[in-house]
Amino acid sequence: MKETRMLATQNLICFSHLRWDFVYQRPQHLLSRFSDANKVYFMEEPVFVECEKASFLYSERMRNLTVMIPQLPHGLSESQIEQTLTSLLKQFFALENMSKWIFWYYTPIALKFSDNFNPGLIIYDCMDELSAFKFAPESLKEMEKKLMDKADVVFTGGQSLYEAKKDRHSNIWPAPSSIDKKHWATARNKKNEPDDQSKIKGVKIGFYGVIDERFDLDLIKNLAENRPEWNIILIGPVVKIDPNSLPRNENIHYLGSRDYASLPSYLAGWNVALIPFAINESTKFISPTKTPEYLAAGIPVVSTAIRDVVIPYGVKKIVHIADDHRGFIKAIETELASANKSEWLHLADSFLEDNSWDKTYEFMVKQMALTKSTQDSLSIAN
């Protein structure tokens, strides 16, 4: 497409607070598509090792996409870490024409060591309100303001996040997370579940994703206690919370992390999928990607009143919205008693018809290309 060709000569470096191999989500979906036409470097946060000299560890993940991990010596102060990362980037860009580079930010904190470079385009893909997350750096809000001032284009990962930030930048666009429909639709036809799940017999109520401070542990505990005959399947890493705080009912099954490719096989065995997020500051602006993924897999969904789930999924009666474990139980029982889901599936499929990562990517590239064309025109005029 025309817009993609306009960016085809660009290289892209992404500054991320998430590691490439952590959970396959928005950054991986988008940047893997950028790598079709551009060289992409995904820079993770540093790791500290026994070494005398700092360096990048490079790992090629696909054609044109390389993960780069800064390896730094132990014992550096915060200012030394920033200076070292700046030095590593200077070495990386030493012979590069910076006008041919796109800087893509997921974490504003990275501006501390990348602010002195002048790339051709600066993008802030604001996928979450990071300042509301547990253990967020105190300087995050200040750094986000600086990044907003510096960025050429800002995207948000959901509608509510866009509404919260739309007055802070003149070129900001909502770009809600999307789905790979073919990938998730395979769950509808799979007959065999993975071994670790197939041995669990009976009703299966499932969730996959990061289990952290956003997760409503009391909801899960109450659900398990009030319906001991149901099995609650939880897939994903436990992060930023004490594992000892997790409810340990016999009908709650923690399966740990599973790779993206295998997830549809797990969903194939579920009766209902959960979005059991607490309603607090850390979830105020989230837009769970798993909502359309569950639906594409053909699994009924019950969610707490997360704003970007309520609107549009709850309003359109595609997803059940519940306030507590009693509401979850009522909604799940309704789905378990429903013998014919064809009308609901048609409604969900119709809603998701135009939803795809390809379209989200194309929309973002179009805005980037228009911005770059405007900048080039202004440069020529000046």
Side-chain angles (χ1 to χ4, degrees):
M1 63 157 45
K2 181 179 179 182
E3 289 85 1
T4 303
R5 286 200 302 270
M6 289 179 71
L7 295 173
T9 59
Q10 302 290 321
N11 301 305
L12 185 153
I13 183 169
C14 171
F15 302 101
S16 178
H17 60 294
L18 299 168
R19 299 203 180 275
W20 185 267
D21 295 324
F22 177 54
V23 175
Y24 201 92
Q25 52 188 308
R26 182 183 181 93
Q28 290 86 345
H29 282 294
L30 290 173
L31 296 174
S32 62
R33 285 165 171 77
F34 273 103
S35 72
D36 288 339
N38 310 272
K39 286 187 177 180
V40 175
Y41 295 86
F42 186 85
M43 182 175 168
E44 297 184 352
E45 292 185 332
V47 297
F48 298 90
V49 299
E50 295 295 337
C51 65
E52 294 183 2
K53 186 178 180 181
S55 63
F56 280 125
L57 175 65
Y58 296 96
S59 177
E60 187 172 274
R61 300 308 171 88
M62 58 186 68
R63 190 180 72 87
N64 285 342
L65 196 150
T66 301
V67 174
M68 46 198 295
I69 306 173
Q71 295 191 306
L72 308 187
H74 290 290
L76 298 181
S77 66
E78 184 175 343
S79 62
Q80 288 174 323
I81 291 172
E82 294 171 12
Q83 292 168 8
T84 303
L85 292 174
T86 300
S87 178
L88 286 176
L89 281 179
K90 285 181 177 178
Q91 295 172 37
F92 180 81
F93 290 120
L95 301 177
E96 295 290 333
N97 178 352
M98 292 309 297
S99 68
K100 300 295 184 182
W101 280 86
I102 298 167
F103 277 19
W104 184 282
Y105 289 87
Y106 280 110
T107 171
I109 295 297
L111 199 62
K112 289 185 176 182
F113 55 82
S114 61
D115 192 25
N116 292 327
F117 298 90
N118 294 300
L121 202 62
I122 297 176
I123 309 299
Y124 178 28
D125 188 18
C126 180
M127 63 182 285
D128 286 306
E129 184 58 85
L130 295 180
S131 63
F133 284 17
K134 197 172 184 178
F135 305 131
E138 292 183 7
S139 61
L140 207 153
K141 287 186 177 181
E142 176 190 352
M143 295 311 299
E144 184 181 67
K145 183 180 184 303
K146 290 184 177 180
L147 181 55
M148 283 281 197
D149 292 340
K150 194 175 180 69
D152 298 301
V153 189
V154 177
F155 298 107
T156 65
Q159 184 65 31
S160 61
L161 197 55
Y162 167 75
E163 291 173 6
K165 296 182 182 291
K166 64 183 180 181
D167 295 330
R168 296 174 57 187
H169 198 278
S170 61
N171 192 17
I172 183 170
W173 304 89
S177 292
S178 309
I179 50 169
D180 181 347
K181 280 198 284 286
K182 288 183 179 179
H183 176 75
W184 296 104
T186 59
R188 302 187 184 194
N189 302 314
K190 288 184 181 293
K191 304 299 182 184
N192 298 318
E193 302 172 62
D195 291 342
D196 57 347
Q197 184 173 279
S198 64
K199 64 185 180 183
I200 302 170
K201 304 303 180 183
V203 172
K204 294 170 188 172
I205 314 299
F207 166 88
Y208 67 78
V210 180
I211 300 172
D212 57 15
E213 77 273 19
R214 296 170 295 175
F215 203 75
D216 192 335
L217 296 177
D218 288 336
L219 171 61
I220 295 298
K221 184 175 185 293
N222 288 328
L223 191 58
E225 288 178 349
N226 284 273
R227 288 297 182 272
E229 70 277 18
W230 294 351
N231 295 287
I232 300 175
I233 312 295
L234 302 178
I235 297 175
V238 177
V239 178
K240 295 189 290 184
I241 59 174
D242 183 357
N244 293 324
S245 68
L246 301 176
R248 295 293 178 179
N249 305 59
E250 289 186 1
N251 58 333
I252 300 178
H253 307 272
Y254 296 95
L255 301 188
S257 297
R258 293 296 180 267
D259 61 45
Y260 179 75
S262 69
L263 287 176
S265 297
Y266 285 92
L267 267 67
W270 296 359
N271 300 92
V272 178
L274 302 177
I275 303 178
F277 290 134
I279 305 300
N280 56 35
E281 282 301 308
S282 67
T283 62
K284 188 175 181 179
F285 300 112
I286 65 172
S287 182
T289 308
K290 59 182 57 61
T291 313
E293 291 174 346
Y294 286 156
L295 296 175
I299 310 298
V301 183
V302 186
S303 174
T304 51
I306 299 299
R307 184 178 176 188
D308 280 5
V309 180
V310 174
I311 304 171
Y313 300 99
V315 170
K316 293 184 177 293
K317 308 298 183 184
I318 302 172
V319 168
H320 295 275
I321 305 298
D323 295 324
D324 55 22
H325 73 276
R326 297 177 187 84
F328 268 71
I329 289 172
K330 182 179 179 180
I332 292 168
E333 288 179 337
T334 297
E335 289 299 338
L336 294 178
S338 175
N340 186 351
K341 293 183 171 57
S342 59
E343 183 177 344
W344 169 79
L345 273 175
H346 177 72
L347 180 64
D349 288 344
S350 297
F351 181 79
L352 296 176
E353 185 174 1
D354 294 326
N355 187 317
S356 76
W357 280 113
D358 286 337
K359 289 193 174 183
T360 300
Y361 162 76
E362 290 166 5
F363 169 77
M364 295 171 88
V365 169
K366 178 180 180 180
Q367 302 309 321
M368 293 165 65
L370 289 172
T371 300
K372 191 172 191 323
S373 297
T374 300
Q375 289 177 338
D376 291 345
S377 297
L378 289 173
S379 178
I380 293 171
N382 291 335

